[in-house]
Amino acid sequence: MPSSPEILARQLARETHARQQAETLLEQKSLELFHQARQREQALAELRESEERYRLIVELSPDAILIAVDEAIVFANSAARLLFNETTANGLLGKSLLTLTAEQDRSKAGQELQRVASGGRCIETEELAMRLDGSTFSVSVQRVALTYQGKHAAQMVARDISARKQLEHQLAHQASHDILTGVPNRQRLTDILEQALRYADRYATPVWVGFIDLDRFKFINDHYGHHVGDHVLRTVTERVRSVLRNGDTIGRFGGDEFVVLLHGAQHEQLNAAIVERIMDAINLPIVVDGHHLRITCSLGLATYPDDGENSQSLIEHADVAMYRAKESGRHLCQFYTAQMNQQFVERNQLESTLYTVLDRDELQLHYQPIVNLHSGHIVGVEALLRWNHPELGWIAPDRFIPIAEECGMITKIGAWVLQQACMQCAQWNAAGLGPLRVSVNLSVRQLDSPDLVANIAAALKQTGLSPSLLEIELTETLMMTDIDRALHLLQTLRKMGVRVAVDDFGTGYSSFAYLKRLLLDSLKIDQSFIRGLENDLENQAIVRTMIQLAHNLKLHVIAEGVETDFQLAFLKEWGCDEFQGYLLSQPQHSADTGALLSTHQSSLLIT
């Protein structure tokens, strides 16, 4: 049995071992706690660093970032304060996120916040935001749920997209509007008309489509430059727009063509005053770069639903009516009629054959004698163009000359007319039937042609006709439309020795001030004043005044359209110098005119 000291030694050893184990365990636990403490400190540092980094990122973000708890804003970064125009410290805090959305989009924004609060996915939307000063702007918005300081919150990220929206609007406007004038272009016009037709169907209201073509616009572009032409187009657009009613539309269809859409009430007829205002607005003088220009237009009108069931047919029929107005003399308005379709087909037929009309020798000149009222002698002839169409027969110039102007054939035809008229007149004079002059009318596009003077000179040289025996007739409207161009042409013709007459006097602007400036030889009184002289005291007074005015300006006076003995006696009594008309002869082929020249006895006609 162990002694007492051995037992004590063993107990001491066990206690020592137990103490050593406890110390070892304590040391290990202390080391673990130390490492855990270090890890916690490191995690806290990383968290603080992460939070600082997040705060820095949020604060420096170019996007506006706001956080709201229970809809009240508790945080706003500097971009948000700048974007929403915060002028006082913490001006955004405490406000509802919805107050930063414009009223028209506020309901949609509230629904987005509810979706986010209920755990819905974040959706990026575009809406109209409102600054603290009440101004609005476009933003792209993202809303998302998060926890902020231990509370459920909503975060809104907003980006200003006003510049992008403005650019999109500009691009959309450019795609649907004419760049030069700013009015709807052809595509947009069609869309507007389609909407108008749907409204008209629903409420049984009429719609009128007007097709406008500016007369002689090509001349302005060619002779004054495109910048002047652009100014004219902008001016015409603004003038027409200023006289249209609310709800009516003007658009540019292309070139110098415009379309107006006019709306009416149930059973309403188109008021003529509206059309007159449009045409009068276009006709007002335009001054640009020192040039005084007068623009006229031809206007065609089609009515819905009578003249077409859709936008395309209405515009086409208004276009057909416009061509009819132009063919009837320009500066006119014409309503579409069903028979115009046949006329339009005929017009296209004429245009297609005009290009070869000279090669096929289908044109002829007819001549109407001009008689001196004092001597009774035939002193001149007026050359009048006729077309013997192989299918349509004889065609008067008022039917095909406008088409020739449109398709560019008028210069060639005009040169042919000058050549033929001068040659025939030279032959008659060589045969002893003179002295005899020949009068040739110029069209609008001939005046525009840079070859006009050269063509006149060539005709005189090739035929040997004296320049004093050629008389160029220009209409009053033509000269007054472009007075500078007319003056230059008249000066040139005067130097060449060619005579110039103003035709159809009294039917145009009748500007006596301009008439005084023009270098003219003759004034031709339009037949509309001669017709009915017997019973029209007012016309008698007008004709007397015209004769006196012309003589005071040292001009020769010729009366057109004389058909009765009374008209002839009246003109002779008041000193008219010459006349032409059916009283002596209608326009005839050169052979018949030559026979008349040979046999004419003026004493049998004039006493």
Side-chain angles (χ1 to χ4, degrees), residues 20 37 42 109 128 135 158 192 244 320 334 343 354 411 414 480 503:
Q20 289 176 345
Q42 185 176 356
L128 201 61
S135 61
I192 295 174
L244 292 179
V320 170
Q334 179 72 57
Q343 294 171 345
L354 260 176
T411 300
M480 295 303 111
D503 195 16

Side-chain angles (χ1 to χ4, degrees), residues 432-443:
L433 301 178
L436 192 73
R437 72 177 188 271
V438 63
S439 298
V440 177
N441 293 278
L442 290 187
S443 75

Side-chain angles (χ1 to χ4, degrees), residues 423-449:
M423 181 175 64
Q424 183 62 74
C425 187
Q427 291 175 357
W428 281 330
N429 280 290
L433 301 178
L436 192 73
R437 72 177 188 271
V438 63
S439 298
V440 177
N441 293 278
L442 290 187
S443 75
V444 173
R445 288 295 172 86
Q446 281 180 276
L447 183 63
D448 297 346
S449 172

Side-chain angles (χ1 to χ4, degrees), residues 46-121:
E46 289 176 353
L47 179 60
R48 285 193 296 269
E49 182 180 353
S50 176
E51 290 177 346
E52 289 298 325
R53 187 182 299 112
Y54 175 77
R55 290 178 182 275
L56 183 62
I57 291 174
V58 168
E59 193 61 32
L60 295 180
S61 172
D63 295 333
I65 300 176
L66 303 104
I67 298 175
V69 175
D70 295 330
E71 294 189 2
I73 298 173
V74 295
F75 172 81
N77 68 350
S78 57
R81 296 191 294 272
L82 180 64
L83 182 63
F84 290 96
N85 199 26
E86 182 185 77
T87 56
T88 59
N90 299 324
L92 286 170
L93 301 184
K95 294 185 177 297
S96 170
L97 278 179
L98 292 179
T99 62
L100 302 182
T101 304
E103 186 174 353
Q104 56 263 48
D105 288 337
R106 197 166 293 169
S107 175
K108 182 180 71 174
Q111 294 173 2
E112 291 293 327
L113 282 174
Q114 290 177 4
R115 183 180 296 110
V116 168
S118 62
R121 58 181 298 185

Side-chain angles (χ1 to χ4, degrees), residues 1 45 66 338 389 417 428 438 453 483 493 495 497 514 523 533 547 575 579:
M1 179 174 190
L66 303 104
H389 194 281
V417 169
W428 281 330
V438 63
V453 173
I483 187 67
L493 295 178
K495 291 179 181 179
Y514 281 132
L523 181 151
L533 268 179
I547 294 172
F579 83 94

Side-chain angles (χ1 to χ4, degrees), residues 320-603:
V320 170
M322 181 277 294
Y323 270 107
R324 180 59 180 166
K326 190 176 288 291
E327 291 172 355
S328 299
R330 303 173 187 266
H331 192 38
L332 295 173
C333 173
Q334 179 72 57
F335 277 88
Y336 173 79
T337 61
Q339 69 184 56
M340 286 183 183
N341 271 335
Q342 178 59 37
Q343 294 171 345
F344 189 71
V345 171
E346 180 183 305
R347 182 192 183 281
N348 289 336
Q349 181 183 6
L350 292 179
E351 181 176 349
S352 65
T353 54
L354 260 176
Y355 291 101
T356 56
V357 69
L358 292 174
D359 297 333
R360 297 193 309 270
D361 197 25
E362 294 174 1
L363 294 181
Q364 291 184 15
L365 289 184
H366 287 192
Y367 299 89
Q368 185 172 48
I370 300 173
V371 181
N372 184 292
L373 270 164
H374 306 293
S375 68
H377 290 102
I378 296 177
V379 294
V381 291
E382 180 177 359
L384 299 167
L385 184 61
R386 299 290 187 266
W387 181 5
N388 189 9
H389 194 281
E391 299 176 10
L392 302 176
W394 288 103
I395 302 176
D398 60 351
R399 288 179 61 193
F400 69 87
I401 288 297
I403 303 175
E405 291 177 341
E406 290 292 331
C407 70
M409 275 296 294
I410 192 62
T411 300
K412 289 183 178 181
I413 293 175
W416 180 88
V417 169
L418 282 167
Q419 179 74 20
Q420 294 297 311
C422 290
M423 181 175 64
Q424 183 62 74
C425 187
Q427 291 175 357
W428 281 330
N429 280 290
L433 301 178
L436 192 73
R437 72 177 188 271
V438 63
S439 298
V440 177
N441 293 278
L442 290 187
S443 75
V444 173
R445 288 295 172 86
Q446 281 180 276
L447 183 63
D448 297 346
S449 172
D451 300 326
L452 174 61
V453 173
N455 288 338
I456 294 174
L460 292 172
K461 181 178 180 180
Q462 293 170 10
T463 63
L465 183 69
S466 170
S468 63
L469 297 180
L470 174 61
E471 186 167 65
I472 299 297
E473 294 188 8
L474 302 172
T475 64
E476 179 186 12
T477 301
L478 178 61
M479 289 191 290
M480 295 303 111
T481 300
D482 186 1
I483 187 67
D484 295 332
R485 171 74 172 168
L487 281 172
H488 177 73
L489 175 61
L490 296 181
Q491 289 171 354
T492 303
L493 295 178
R494 178 58 63 90
K495 291 179 181 179
M496 295 171 62
V498 175
R499 294 170 57 87
V500 180
V502 55
D503 195 16
D504 301 335
F505 185 75
T507 62
Y509 297 114
S510 300
S511 173
F512 297 150
Y514 281 132
L515 192 62
K516 181 179 179 180
R517 293 176 57 193
L518 296 173
L519 303 174
L520 300 171
D521 296 286
S522 303
L523 181 151
K524 301 190 76 171
I525 300 175
D526 187 71
Q527 60 182 339
S528 61
F529 297 101
I530 305 300
R531 189 183 304 116
L533 268 179
E534 291 85 348
N535 303 311
D536 195 332
L537 296 179
E538 182 177 325
N539 264 8
Q540 291 180 16
I542 292 174
V543 171
R544 287 197 300 268
T545 301
M546 287 182 179
I547 294 172
Q548 293 170 358
L549 168 68
H551 285 163
N552 288 337
L553 295 174
K554 305 296 190 295
L555 298 178
H556 212 64
V557 185
I558 307 167
E560 297 181 299
V562 177
E563 298 180 352
T564 68
D565 291 332
F566 177 88
Q567 295 167 0
L568 184 66
F570 180 88
L571 293 168
K572 185 176 181 181
E573 178 184 358
W574 290 101
C576 184
D577 300 299
E578 298 172 359
F579 83 94
Q580 63 186 95
Y582 281 15
L583 183 61
L584 175 61
S585 173
Q586 63 182 358
Q588 300 181 99
H589 189 274
S590 58
D592 296 325
T593 304
L596 176 63
L597 292 172
S598 299
T599 61
H600 174 69
Q601 296 294 330
S602 59
S603 59

Side-chain angles (χ1 to χ4, degrees), residues 121-371:
R121 58 181 298 185
C122 171
I123 300 177
E124 184 174 354
T125 61
E126 294 181 358
E127 58 190 45
L128 201 61
M130 185 168 64
R131 299 185 178 92
L132 295 180
D133 60 7
S135 61
T136 59
F137 61 105
S138 297
V139 292
S140 172
V141 175
Q142 285 183 327
R143 296 180 176 90
V144 62
L146 51 71
T147 300
Y148 181 79
Q149 295 181 352
K151 299 178 180 179
H152 293 293
Q155 176 178 277
M156 183 178 83
V157 180
R159 177 177 299 170
D160 188 349
I161 58 172
S162 298
R164 193 195 82 196
K165 284 292 185 181
Q166 183 177 5
L167 179 59
E168 289 176 354
H169 177 75
Q170 290 175 349
L171 293 175
H173 186 274
Q174 291 174 4
S176 61
H177 288 72
D178 177 56
I179 296 177
L180 178 64
T181 62
V183 297
N185 59 17
R186 180 181 302 195
Q187 181 59 52
R188 180 58 180 156
L189 268 172
T190 303
D191 294 340
I192 295 174
L193 180 53
E194 291 290 351
Q195 294 173 11
L197 298 186
R198 287 194 291 270
Y199 180 91
D201 282 337
R202 183 175 181 181
Y203 296 102
T205 57
V207 175
W208 297 281
V209 177
F211 202 104
I212 300 172
D213 181 86
L214 302 184
D215 300 327
R216 301 184 67 246
F217 180 75
K218 183 178 184 300
F219 167 79
I220 294 174
N221 262 345
D222 291 345
H223 292 276
Y224 296 111
H226 289 280
H227 70 287
V228 174
D230 290 348
H231 179 85
V232 168
L233 292 174
R234 286 192 295 266
T235 302
V236 166
T237 302
E238 287 304 315
R239 287 178 176 176
V240 173
R241 185 156 52 181
S242 69
V243 300
L244 292 179
R245 305 163 303 175
N246 291 335
D248 294 340
T249 303
I250 178 175
R252 187 179 177 196
F253 201 70
D256 61 338
E257 296 176 335
F258 296 85
V259 170
V260 290
L261 309 180
L262 309 174
H263 302 265
Q266 285 186 348
H267 311 300
E268 181 182 0
Q269 299 294 319
L270 180 59
N271 191 336
I274 299 173
V275 178
E276 291 175 0
R277 285 201 303 268
I278 292 173
M279 300 189 72
D280 289 345
I282 294 174
N283 193 32
L284 290 173
I286 297 176
V287 180
V288 52
D289 289 354
H291 302 294
H292 293 256
L293 306 174
R294 295 200 74 130
I295 306 298
T296 60
C297 73
S298 300
L299 173 59
L301 286 163
T303 306
Y304 179 79
D306 297 338
D307 299 330
E309 298 180 351
N310 53 57
S311 59
Q312 180 178 350
S313 62
L314 284 169
I315 292 175
E316 288 177 354
H317 290 167
D319 188 16
V320 170
M322 181 277 294
Y323 270 107
R324 180 59 180 166
K326 190 176 288 291
E327 291 172 355
S328 299
R330 303 173 187 266
H331 192 38
L332 295 173
C333 173
Q334 179 72 57
F335 277 88
Y336 173 79
T337 61
Q339 69 184 56
M340 286 183 183
N341 271 335
Q342 178 59 37
Q343 294 171 345
F344 189 71
V345 171
E346 180 183 305
R347 182 192 183 281
N348 289 336
Q349 181 183 6
L350 292 179
E351 181 176 349
S352 65
T353 54
L354 260 176
Y355 291 101
T356 56
V357 69
L358 292 174
D359 297 333
R360 297 193 309 270
D361 197 25
E362 294 174 1
L363 294 181
Q364 291 184 15
L365 289 184
H366 287 192
Y367 299 89
Q368 185 172 48
I370 300 173
V371 181

